[in-house]
Amino acid sequence: MTPKTRWIRRIRTLFALFAIALVSVTTVLPAQAASYDPITGTGSTWSQNALDQWRKNVASNYGMTVNYSGVGSSAGRRDFVAGNVDFAVSEIPFQLAPEDGSTPESPTRGYAYMPIVAGGTSFMYNLKINGVRVSNLRLSGEVITKIFTGGITNWNDPAIQADNPGLAMPDKGIVPVVRSDGSGSTAQFSLWMSKQHPALWNAFCASVGRTSPCGLTSQYPTFGNAKAQSGSSGVAGYVSQDYGEGAITYVEYSYALESGFPVAKVLNQAGYYVEPTANSVAVALLTAQIDQTPGPNYLTQVLDGVYNSADPRTYALSSYSYMIVPTEVGGVFTAKKGTTLGAFANYMLCEGQQQAADLGYSPLPMNLVLAGFDQIKRIPGADTTGVDINKCNNPTFKPGDSPSSNQLALTAAQPQDCDKVGPNQCTTGTAGAPAETPVSGSGTGGSATGGTTENAAAAAATGGAAAASTGAAAVYDANGALISGGAAGSTLAGAAVATPFALADEGWGTQQSLMLLAATLLVAAAVLPPVFWRRLAPRGGKDGLK
């Protein structure tokens, strides 16, 4: 090897090593990592299962850290008021005159309510007849109210038996399980009772020392044989234990799916007992009113129309949850965190809604997504270039739909005859316990299925496992990644699914500059050494002859 060859190889090696080092730096530090400061929120346990899934998705795909603690809606709102969190989640707005006499919830920084997910407040229970689990219980609104106000205390009460002609109700005491913490679930449930059965609810309030009429409350009074537990997981956990036989609680439908337990079908105004599936909630929310008046209650829900909907497919206790987002910098919140919060909110309203049904919720319709987009634009630091309804991969609408339409509601099947008030009772199980319950009463049976695919997510739930999708139509995101459906057992509710979504183009930055420099060095390694040698080699030498 000549001196010239050795010299050229050494120079090329140095150029190549430097280029490789630059490439390594750009791959170790992803372009998006520096864009997202961690954010933290607290609040609702009602919507926590959905939030936890979405947090896993964005952490896995984008290195986005979203911390969330389900401490109850009341605690979440207080944390937001104190400026200790970047966002809060609640089922009800700030309480300016709390019913417990506590300090009014009055934030000093600007805020907005952003809808994040819909669902049904369900009645999860643990009941057996002759050692066989009951999975098809039916209850009217009056019976539910009497159970949770101490008016009905035994499962063989004539009013419960009248709701369930296909079951020989057992002589067993009822254990109502209520929330011990300030809860949006309690607020939603108590609001429904105060609107639909005011005489029963007000008499109960008076009996426990509350002002009557008492209306909505976030703090459920303990009474009689009732047990109080903290959080949605606490009340669901109590009911799902062996010692919980005979117990019933109010909790988001998702927790019954996750626990592998049934929920009661609730009698609606059309005379049908309905389960809180994604479709029945979507139908119900078509009659919800949304406060569009600018001010502190903008986008809060008015549910009287839902409670009294004449559509036989309606689940009467349907509602949605809010994320309370800051519209001003303050407390621990900064504009840099607003970039993260805006991107996470966009993900929730669009791609995240694809998983709502499998998780036990109902995806938001277009009108609420559009309203949510307006709120994202008010978050300091949020990048709004990707906030586009035409690029929103949400299962409730398609391009060209009206904001008042809902694809789930349009395709929701009518309930079966055996779910109608009368001598028959469907034997099909509900929520996380889809196995049929044998007829033990005087009525005849029948199947609650036949046209709906709403229970597909719960078809493998027996035994307490999270529900699995069983052959439902495959759902893909905008990037072609499978979200749910397809082969049987392909998606488990609660399992983290990598769900890509489109991020705004950040333009030319440090990473792009480093990559260009590395490429330039590699080209230089091939071209420049011979040129340098010709200029530096001694004239007249062998290698320097003209």
Side-chain angles (χ1 to χ4, degrees), residues 281-289 305-306 311 313 365 403-406 409-410:
V281 170
V283 170
L285 290 179
L286 291 176
T287 53
Q289 297 296 314
V306 173
D311 193 313
R313 302 170 297 170
S404 62
S405 68
N406 187 318
L410 290 173

Side-chain angles (χ1 to χ4, degrees), residues 286-373:
L286 291 176
T287 53
Q289 297 296 314
I290 304 168
D291 191 339
Q292 297 286 350
T293 306
N297 291 324
Y298 178 64
L299 292 190
T300 57
Q301 55 199 330
V302 180
L303 299 173
D304 298 69
V306 173
Y307 302 157
N308 297 296
S309 172
D311 193 313
R313 302 170 297 170
T314 293
Y315 183 74
L317 281 90
S318 298
S319 59
Y320 57 88
S321 190
Y322 315 111
M323 175 177 280
I324 302 171
V325 298
T327 57
E328 297 175 351
V329 170
V332 299
F333 178 73
T334 64
K336 190 69 182 297
K337 289 183 175 182
T339 303
T340 311
L341 184 57
F344 183 53
N346 190 15
Y347 175 85
M348 289 190 295
L349 292 173
C350 295
E351 296 291 352
Q353 300 295 317
Q354 292 280 358
Q355 290 178 286
D358 284 344
L359 294 171
Y361 298 88
S362 186
L364 293 176
M366 182 190 285
N367 62 327
L368 291 182
V369 173
L370 287 168
F373 279 177

Side-chain angles (χ1 to χ4, degrees), residues 31-32 35-36 62 339 343 346 382-387 391 501-507 512:
Q32 301 296 340
S35 300
Y36 296 123
Y62 312 110
T339 303
N346 190 15
D383 185 345
T384 60
T385 58
V387 179
K391 298 178 181 178
F501 73 112
L503 293 170
D505 184 5
E506 294 192 344
Q512 289 82 1

Side-chain angles (χ1 to χ4, degrees), residues 154-200:
N154 199 292
W155 283 108
N156 67 357
D157 187 282
I160 298 180
Q161 187 63 74
D163 281 332
N164 296 275
L167 301 175
M169 299 305 297
D171 182 8
K172 188 171 185 63
I174 299 174
V175 180
V177 182
V178 301
R179 290 285 290 272
S180 62
D181 55 325
S183 161
S185 300
T186 296
Q188 292 284 20
F189 180 35
S190 61
L191 178 64
W192 173 79
M193 288 189 289
S194 72
K195 295 277 189 176
Q196 299 303 104
H197 305 284
L200 291 172

